[in-house]
Amino acid sequence: MTGTNRRMRILHILNHTNQLNGHVHAAVDLACAQSADGHQVMIASGGGDFDALLAREGVETARIDHNRKPLILAGSVLRLRRLVRDWQPDVVHAHMMTSAVLAWPVCRLAGVPLITTVHNAFEKSAVLMGLGTRVIAVSEAVRQSMETRGIPARKLVTVLNGTIGTVRFRGREAMREPLDHPAILFVAGLHPRKGLPDLIDAFAIVHARHPEARLYIVGEGPFRDAYEDMARALPCGAAVTFAGGQRDPSPWMRGADIFVLPSHDEPAGLVLSEAREAGCAVIGTRVGGIPEMLDRGAAGILVPPGDPPALAEALDQLLSDPAALADWRAKSQINIDNLTIGRVMRQTLDVYVTARAGKSPRQRVAA
């Protein structure tokens, strides 16, 4: 057993367990890794796609409705109080704002440490994660942001995101999507924060120089129609493919040459560790936790956010020089072991131990 010499009872709380949601993936990965390490683990949520996987991995589940209607929330607090009383966790770990608000009074009454994780620092309500005894930031950039927004430094600790080794992908076949090359890939929700219009504009510049290049867009979101219209209006429109949401985007990553995450704000996207694991050359914007996920530029090219010409220049560098492309694909593997779920699990257990002991956390847990 790692992280602690004592078996712990760990209760995670989150809105739901449905796929295609980054904070859910992170919580499920962590819970399963803790269970595999010998701890007793439960997830209390509204339920969802991952419940069958959790059962196979020895993680118990309980239903706690996170609907934000006042009467429903009041009932959920009472159900959670009974659950904590009967199951007797050593720590409660909340992964979203509603979960933290539900858990705070229950943990106060029960004398149980409440750990919160800030997955979505861009949300105004993220400051409510400060209700935790300890507040985990998924990157150093998020830790600094939360301290600036008023969460005491003594509560904050950084555990950098990582997903390599997740049970979600256990047994998957190493398939490659048959893409046309050179293939540029984007995988994310289709929201303005992800910066997809910048990538489409950059691709239009690059495609004029490299008409053989193709852009593949994997993801769903409320702006899909607008982004498709934008791409179709460009001369390169026929070279852009919108593939929709994929339950497992890894075949697309293994089939691509270049992965691009052009976000305007990004706490620490798990998709970057998945793209690096697949061996893509990676380009990301210099915002939030992206530099940390790319080893400060050693494992991927960093460009300014909201700057299509700069992004086009980085793409052109890779498309014009096969040796440079191969070099950056190799560089994606630099320090990749730092992005494993095992490392995340061990460091999170250290946070639990310090919270139970009433000690101040180390300000930077991540390597």
Side-chain angles (χ1 to χ4, degrees), residues 278-300:
C280 295
V282 181
I283 301 174
T285 41
R286 197 177 288 106
V287 296
I290 290 179
E292 296 165 68
M293 297 293 287
L294 296 181
D295 229 317
R296 303 293 179 182

Side-chain angles (χ1 to χ4, degrees), residues 91-95 113-117 132-136 348 351-352 355:
V91 294
V92 174
H93 191 157
H95 292 267
L114 172 62
I115 312 300
T116 60
T117 292
T133 310
R134 295 286 183 271
V135 181
I136 294 175
T348 302
V351 177
Y352 296 168

